[in-house]
Amino acid sequence: MTRLLVTGGAGFIGSAIVETALARGWRVRVLDSLRPDVHGAGYLPDPRVEFVHADVRDRNALAVALFGVDVVSHQAAKVGLGVDFSDAPDYVGSNDHGTAVLLAGMAEAGVRRLVVASSMVVYGEGNYRDAAGRAARPEPRRVEDLDAGRFDPVDEQGELLEPVLIREDAPLDPRNVYAVSKLTQEYLANAWVRATGGTAIALRYHNVYGPGMPQNTPYAGVASLFRSAITRGEAPRVFEDGRQRRDFVHSRDVASANLAAIEATGAGSVGTFRAFNVGSGEVHTIGELAEQLSRHTGGLAPVVTGEYRLGDVRHITASSERLRTELGWRPSISFEDGMREFAASPLRRAVRG
């Protein structure tokens, strides 16, 4: 029987992984700090789970949590774009220092299997091609273009670039503090593999949504922000022109991808590090997301504001072919079905700053 430790296992994605692992008959332990800016008021641990209430940077608690486990699913992290650069120390401390402490603890405990939550943000902008069909990676968008409502990346001649699916071998170009912290987690995991002979898989999540997302926080994903607005009786506010392309993947599909990755770490690929995109394979716009949620909830129609966040990218959509081919994973929830369920599902309690 697999003995699994899920760091951040009380969180949005972590709890979905826990539920899926329990359904497989695995023994599950959760390590979570229950940060109030993530969990809001109150948390009731599942009686089937051994719960360790501690920060992943607490070496003593971590040693207890790692005792007797076969594999770690590392989900504990500060997520989202952030409010401003003053968030940088918290991102680096929570994500990078936390991962370093975890990996050191795993080395000491002799735990040699790891799945780490990464993100699409490590790529920066998505993949594009120019009018001649050549691959192109645009520079970060300029403030003067965004102020003028020119949101789409262009080539050196000013011609629009065509967005295409991004693969794991694309250049990595993190463009905000959160993105840098996620890529650093990958680099730390790879260094741990080289030093210990362990096996690690990084799952680069695309836009995850589903029941139990946190509400009323600037660090939540866009689906949660739209749902929170509708719940307050407000119209969802869509930035830019709403045509930003994304891949929205359901949390249960992300959980099943984690279990496929966990099983792969025990399948004999010792001393390796491998990254995989986790996406639905469907391309939709942020405007479509807002429209779906408004329609399924009976809420106010979305408002396209033209506002922007400088750290955001324009288009990024996943090719999950590597995950499908190498690990046999398939998403099971369509955009339409997932939005219908999400619109009717409760969010996590409001968080405190």
Side-chain angles (χ1 to χ4, degrees):
M1 178 186 295
T2 300
R3 296 166 298 178
L4 170 66
L5 172 65
V6 183
T7 70
F12 165 49
I13 295 173
S15 60
I17 295 168
V18 168
E19 283 295 324
T20 305
L22 290 171
R24 293 270 184 98
W26 295 4
R27 292 176 57 187
V28 180
R29 184 179 296 153
V30 165
L31 173 75
D32 202 298
S33 66
L34 301 181
R35 284 177 60 142
D37 59 342
V38 175
H39 296 279
Y43 168 72
L44 294 175
D46 190 311
R48 299 170 294 173
V49 171
E50 183 181 349
F51 183 70
V52 179
H53 183 191
D55 192 287
V56 72
R57 292 166 287 188
D58 183 335
R59 292 175 180 266
N60 292 331
L62 184 62
V64 172
L66 286 167
F67 180 77
V69 305
D70 302 310
V71 57
V72 174
S73 174
H74 182 35
Q75 308 295 315
K78 182 180 177 71
V79 301
L81 181 60
V83 175
D84 54 41
F85 203 81
S86 65
D87 283 325
D90 196 13
Y91 277 111
V92 173
S94 298
N95 299 357
D96 300 337
H97 183 212
T99 299
V101 173
L102 171 66
L103 294 173
M106 290 176 65
E108 293 169 4
V111 181
R112 295 292 184 264
R113 296 166 58 195
L114 171 71
V115 174
V116 58
S118 187
S119 172
M120 66 179 187
V121 297
V122 300
Y123 297 114
E125 273 288 348
N127 253 6
Y128 294 83
R129 60 188 172 208
D130 63 19
R134 296 170 298 201
R137 294 301 301 276
E139 295 295 318
R141 296 182 294 172
R142 301 183 304 172
V143 170
E144 53 266 38
D145 288 334
L146 296 170
D147 285 340
R150 296 188 294 268
F151 302 120
D152 284 299
V154 296
D155 63 16
E156 294 178 355
Q157 288 72 44
E159 298 294 326
L160 288 178
L161 296 171
E162 177 189 0
V164 295
L165 300 183
I166 197 161
R167 300 182 182 277
E168 292 85 352
D169 56 1
L172 303 178
D173 183 19
R175 296 185 177 186
N176 56 61
V177 172
Y178 171 58
V180 169
S181 76
K182 297 310 287 184
L183 184 54
T184 301
Q185 286 185 292
E186 290 195 23
Y187 286 152
L188 286 167
N190 200 355
W192 170 83
V193 165
R194 293 170 183 269
T196 67
T199 301
I201 288 177
L203 296 179
R204 293 172 180 166
Y205 303 156
H206 285 248
N207 288 76
V208 187
Y209 72 96
M213 288 190 82
Q215 63 174 305
N216 297 333
T217 166
Y219 303 99
V222 66
S224 174
L225 297 178
F226 290 164
R227 266 294 314 277
S228 297
I230 292 169
T231 300
R232 296 192 302 268
E234 302 170 3
R237 295 177 60 83
V238 180
F239 280 14
E240 302 187 18
D241 57 5
R243 297 175 185 169
Q244 306 96 305
R245 294 159 59 98
R246 297 290 189 270
D247 186 319
F248 299 100
V249 58
H250 197 280
S251 55
R252 288 198 297 275
D253 283 334
V254 172
S256 70
N258 271 271
L259 264 65
I262 288 166
E263 290 174 338
T265 63
S269 53
V270 176
T272 61
F273 172 88
R274 190 77 162 149
F276 295 88
N277 287 333
V278 183
S280 70
E282 298 183 40
V283 176
H284 293 279
T285 67
I286 288 178
E288 287 178 278
L289 170 70
E291 290 166 1
Q292 285 272 328
L293 291 176
S294 292
R295 178 162 64 86
H296 288 308
T297 58
L300 295 174
V303 175
V304 178
T305 68
E307 298 172 83
Y308 64 85
R309 297 190 304 180
L310 191 58
D312 279 341
V313 299
R314 177 59 172 173
H315 303 297
I316 181 164
T317 52
S319 168
S320 299
E321 186 61 30
R322 177 184 287 184
L323 185 59
R324 294 171 184 244
T325 300
E326 296 187 14
L327 302 190
W329 173 84
R330 295 289 185 278
S332 62
I333 302 170
S334 70
F335 180 74
E336 179 73 25
D337 289 344
M339 286 296 122
R340 184 181 298 107
E341 179 205 29
F342 179 57
S345 299
L347 295 175
R348 211 169 272 259
R349 292 183 183 184
V351 300
R352 304 191 300 273

